[in-house]
Amino acid sequence: MPETNSQPPSRPQSVHSSHHSATHDHNDENTPLLSSNNNHNVEAQEQAESSSESSHSPAVARLLRLFQPQSKSPPRWSSLLALFLLCIIAVLIMVLGFLAPSKVQEYAVQAAHFEPTSLSIHSFTTTGVTARIQGDFSMRADNVKDDSVRRFGRFGTWIARKVETGQSSVQVTLPDYKDALLGTAEIPSIVADIRNGHTTHIDFLTELAPGNTDAIRHLAKDYIDGKLQELRVSAEASVPVKSGLINLGRQTVSRAMAFGNDNIPTLPEYKIHKLNFREVQLPDLQRAMVADVSVELGNDYPLDFTIPPLGFAILVDNCHPSQPLIQLADATTPSLSVKPKENLNVSVSGFVRRLPQAFTQACPGSHESPLDILLGGYIHGNDTTVYVRGSDSPSLDTPRWITDLMSDVTVPVPFPGHTFGHLIRNFTLADVHFGLPDPFAEPDSPESNPRISANIKALVALPEEMNFNISVGRVRADADVFYHGSKLGYLDLNKWQKANSSRIDSDNKDEGPLLAVQSAIEKAPLIVTDDDVFTDVLNALLFGGKGVELGIKAEVDVEMETALGQLAVRKIPAEGSVPVKRS
């Protein structure tokens, strides 16, 4: 911390000189200075003055003698100058300290400006953090609106030049949360130049300690939920102040500040650069899934510190918003180094031992589970939301107060969907046998519809993010059938069909592995929705001689066996062809 080096002021020396001069003048006053015919009057005057001086203190008496008429001795300029300076200082102290404290405080509040250049955390302690704050302090008179306050403040700070504050403790409270304590800061002694336009570089260490944990959690929840339209804080400190050799005593300084919604920092922007799912083997020979995520966080602040290892719980939505969130995974982050105004690259590993039953079972009144909704939205490119909540840290060195603060704070993280292109490729129905409807069947009965028997064959392009074994056990689909671009009807495959799969490594380095899936369907109903198109198909089959080729657009549900059990991925889009021969 820079210290002010200044020469001792000359005013005490002037006061000392005036004391000797006054003593010398007192001796001279005992010598007759007037003519002999006035001696009687002089003696009477001296007796009156002597009786008057006896009623005052010696200091006052010496000051009064300075103004006695001296017709022959030269003026004592040093004594007069010292008295003049003492009077000016007395007037300034009275004006600055007693007559106009409100104006001084108003000027100080409006003109004071602090521009932080760096905030670094030296260490995390059991009660808080030790932080180093660096910045530039200056007084800017242009920020003061009232002309009289601005002129008075500039004059007063020009006289004082520098101010030194002693060690103090600052308490910050939240008026909107029953004046709960937000935190305290221990501020060391600081010397600052308070003249207008002069800049002082501030560099000091401070102890920061969090306050009411429940109030801080409540504040964080309101901020995350978007309910914090304005943040009001109040700071108060009792600060010992002195200027030069003048001790101004301990001053109680308080200030209330309100931050509008535009001035409240927002959550940092982030980009997900990598997402990888892999399978791991547990010590008990069970399998589990790990999701590795690489995230880049924006940092527009002059922060410089190291974040200790942290633990988080990853949660997802339940069937209904009123139901509690479902914890899906535990995530950990390593120790992270934050540099001023540099983006932060974070590697997060989420560990999933098993899928909760509430996550996989169908929601009431629906055929879809929270898992279906989450995976379906992600695969189709829709943004989904996962929730991050603080939990126990993986490191014993992480202070307990950090995990206590984070344990009840849940942050929603929008997770961008990812369209994987055509996940299902070469979707075809091979060895198709087309059965005509029974002419004697009852209308709207299953036998009144054509039937198709075939082998479903498909190549599933596995996303490069999914680096774990997958085995397809069952498939089903909602498939629309077309003929020459016109819709013929739809193929009823709403029942699960047994399937088998095998992994195929792609020869193309730009493509990931493929999964060959095959399933047999027997006499699946083809529900005709356009009789004219159906007539054209029959004519082509009966009189064309070579069969017909139908087009198909389907949404396929695939049930897979993974390390976490059975997963169903629903409504995967697929397109293909159906070559039909008369059976």
PDB file of all heavy atoms in Angstrom, residues 245-257:
ATOM      1  N   LEU A 245      -1.851  15.959   9.821  1.00  0.00           N
ATOM      2  CA  LEU A 245      -1.755  15.810  11.267  1.00  0.00           C
ATOM      3  C   LEU A 245      -3.078  16.024  11.971  1.00  0.00           C
ATOM      4  O   LEU A 245      -3.161  15.913  13.185  1.00  0.00           O
ATOM      5  CB  LEU A 245      -0.718  16.809  11.818  1.00  0.00           C
ATOM      6  CG  LEU A 245       0.716  16.612  11.328  1.00  0.00           C
ATOM      7  CD1 LEU A 245       1.616  17.674  11.924  1.00  0.00           C
ATOM      8  CD2 LEU A 245       1.232  15.229  11.702  1.00  0.00           C
ATOM      9  N   ILE A 246      -4.117  16.353  11.202  1.00  0.00           N
ATOM     10  CA  ILE A 246      -5.419  16.617  11.786  1.00  0.00           C
ATOM     11  C   ILE A 246      -6.196  15.315  11.848  1.00  0.00           C
ATOM     12  O   ILE A 246      -6.499  14.716  10.810  1.00  0.00           O
ATOM     13  CB  ILE A 246      -6.195  17.675  10.969  1.00  0.00           C
ATOM     14  CG1 ILE A 246      -5.395  18.968  10.888  1.00  0.00           C
ATOM     15  CG2 ILE A 246      -7.564  17.923  11.582  1.00  0.00           C
ATOM     16  CD1 ILE A 246      -6.043  20.009  10.001  1.00  0.00           C
ATOM     17  N   ASN A 247      -6.507  14.884  13.050  1.00  0.00           N
ATOM     18  CA  ASN A 247      -7.281  13.661  13.244  1.00  0.00           C
ATOM     19  C   ASN A 247      -8.757  14.030  13.276  1.00  0.00           C
ATOM     20  O   ASN A 247      -9.209  14.769  14.161  1.00  0.00           O
ATOM     21  CB  ASN A 247      -6.865  12.981  14.548  1.00  0.00           C
ATOM     22  CG  ASN A 247      -7.433  11.575  14.667  1.00  0.00           C
ATOM     23  OD1 ASN A 247      -8.399  11.228  13.988  1.00  0.00           O
ATOM     24  ND2 ASN A 247      -6.836  10.775  15.537  1.00  0.00           N
ATOM     25  N   LEU A 248      -9.500  13.557  12.308  1.00  0.00           N
ATOM     26  CA  LEU A 248     -10.924  13.865  12.212  1.00  0.00           C
ATOM     27  C   LEU A 248     -11.793  12.870  12.965  1.00  0.00           C
ATOM     28  O   LEU A 248     -13.016  12.913  12.854  1.00  0.00           O
ATOM     29  CB  LEU A 248     -11.348  13.901  10.732  1.00  0.00           C
ATOM     30  CG  LEU A 248     -10.604  14.912   9.861  1.00  0.00           C
ATOM     31  CD1 LEU A 248     -11.095  14.828   8.433  1.00  0.00           C
ATOM     32  CD2 LEU A 248     -10.783  16.319  10.409  1.00  0.00           C
ATOM     33  N   GLY A 249     -11.159  11.946  13.689  1.00  0.00           N
ATOM     34  CA  GLY A 249     -11.926  11.014  14.504  1.00  0.00           C
ATOM     35  C   GLY A 249     -12.511   9.871  13.698  1.00  0.00           C
ATOM     36  O   GLY A 249     -12.255   9.705  12.506  1.00  0.00           O
ATOM     37  N   ARG A 250     -13.321   9.082  14.344  1.00  0.00           N
ATOM     38  CA  ARG A 250     -13.973   7.935  13.702  1.00  0.00           C
ATOM     39  C   ARG A 250     -15.304   8.390  13.126  1.00  0.00           C
ATOM     40  O   ARG A 250     -16.166   8.877  13.849  1.00  0.00           O
ATOM     41  CB  ARG A 250     -14.165   6.805  14.710  1.00  0.00           C
ATOM     42  CG  ARG A 250     -14.752   5.528  14.127  1.00  0.00           C
ATOM     43  CD  ARG A 250     -14.738   4.413  15.151  1.00  0.00           C
ATOM     44  NE  ARG A 250     -13.385   3.928  15.370  1.00  0.00           N
ATOM     45  CZ  ARG A 250     -12.815   2.968  14.649  1.00  0.00           C
ATOM     46  NH1 ARG A 250     -13.474   2.416  13.634  1.00  0.00           N
ATOM     47  NH2 ARG A 250     -11.590   2.574  14.911  1.00  0.00           N
ATOM     48  N   GLN A 251     -15.430   8.245  11.830  1.00  0.00           N
ATOM     49  CA  GLN A 251     -16.619   8.683  11.126  1.00  0.00           C
ATOM     50  C   GLN A 251     -17.460   7.453  10.736  1.00  0.00           C
ATOM     51  O   GLN A 251     -16.936   6.468  10.232  1.00  0.00           O
ATOM     52  CB  GLN A 251     -16.244   9.464   9.857  1.00  0.00           C
ATOM     53  CG  GLN A 251     -15.334  10.664  10.102  1.00  0.00           C
ATOM     54  CD  GLN A 251     -16.031  11.753  10.876  1.00  0.00           C
ATOM     55  OE1 GLN A 251     -17.222  11.967  10.707  1.00  0.00           O
ATOM     56  NE2 GLN A 251     -15.277  12.440  11.732  1.00  0.00           N
ATOM     57  N   THR A 252     -18.755   7.531  10.991  1.00  0.00           N
ATOM     58  CA  THR A 252     -19.669   6.476  10.566  1.00  0.00           C
ATOM     59  C   THR A 252     -20.151   6.794   9.158  1.00  0.00           C
ATOM     60  O   THR A 252     -20.796   7.818   8.921  1.00  0.00           O
ATOM     61  CB  THR A 252     -20.861   6.361  11.519  1.00  0.00           C
ATOM     62  OG1 THR A 252     -20.377   6.028  12.824  1.00  0.00           O
ATOM     63  CG2 THR A 252     -21.827   5.285  11.050  1.00  0.00           C
ATOM     64  N   VAL A 253     -19.801   5.918   8.224  1.00  0.00           N
ATOM     65  CA  VAL A 253     -20.133   6.129   6.819  1.00  0.00           C
ATOM     66  C   VAL A 253     -21.153   5.078   6.413  1.00  0.00           C
ATOM     67  O   VAL A 253     -20.954   3.881   6.642  1.00  0.00           O
ATOM     68  CB  VAL A 253     -18.883   6.025   5.927  1.00  0.00           C
ATOM     69  CG1 VAL A 253     -19.242   6.275   4.469  1.00  0.00           C
ATOM     70  CG2 VAL A 253     -17.821   7.021   6.384  1.00  0.00           C
ATOM     71  N   SER A 254     -22.239   5.507   5.845  1.00  0.00           N
ATOM     72  CA  SER A 254     -23.251   4.579   5.354  1.00  0.00           C
ATOM     73  C   SER A 254     -23.720   5.036   3.987  1.00  0.00           C
ATOM     74  O   SER A 254     -23.745   6.239   3.696  1.00  0.00           O
ATOM     75  CB  SER A 254     -24.444   4.496   6.317  1.00  0.00           C
ATOM     76  OG  SER A 254     -25.079   5.762   6.425  1.00  0.00           O
ATOM     77  N   ARG A 255     -24.071   4.071   3.182  1.00  0.00           N
ATOM     78  CA  ARG A 255     -24.534   4.391   1.833  1.00  0.00           C
ATOM     79  C   ARG A 255     -25.496   3.307   1.364  1.00  0.00           C
ATOM     80  O   ARG A 255     -25.234   2.122   1.533  1.00  0.00           O
ATOM     81  CB  ARG A 255     -23.360   4.504   0.861  1.00  0.00           C
ATOM     82  CG  ARG A 255     -23.786   4.939  -0.540  1.00  0.00           C
ATOM     83  CD  ARG A 255     -22.594   5.101  -1.449  1.00  0.00           C
ATOM     84  NE  ARG A 255     -22.992   5.535  -2.779  1.00  0.00           N
ATOM     85  CZ  ARG A 255     -22.167   5.680  -3.807  1.00  0.00           C
ATOM     86  NH1 ARG A 255     -20.885   5.444  -3.640  1.00  0.00           N
ATOM     87  NH2 ARG A 255     -22.596   6.077  -4.983  1.00  0.00           N
ATOM     88  N   ALA A 256     -26.599   3.747   0.810  1.00  0.00           N
ATOM     89  CA  ALA A 256     -27.579   2.835   0.230  1.00  0.00           C
ATOM     90  C   ALA A 256     -27.481   2.929  -1.288  1.00  0.00           C
ATOM     91  O   ALA A 256     -27.400   4.022  -1.850  1.00  0.00           O
ATOM     92  CB  ALA A 256     -28.988   3.183   0.698  1.00  0.00           C
ATOM     93  N   MET A 257     -27.467   1.786  -1.938  1.00  0.00           N
ATOM     94  CA  MET A 257     -27.337   1.740  -3.389  1.00  0.00           C
ATOM     95  C   MET A 257     -28.419   0.849  -3.967  1.00  0.00           C
ATOM     96  O   MET A 257     -28.804  -0.157  -3.361  1.00  0.00           O
ATOM     97  CB  MET A 257     -25.949   1.214  -3.792  1.00  0.00           C
ATOM     98  CG  MET A 257     -24.812   2.137  -3.420  1.00  0.00           C
ATOM     99  SD  MET A 257     -23.193   1.323  -3.568  1.00  0.00           S
ATOM    100  CE  MET A 257     -23.215   0.275  -2.107  1.00  0.00           C
TER     101      MET A 257
END
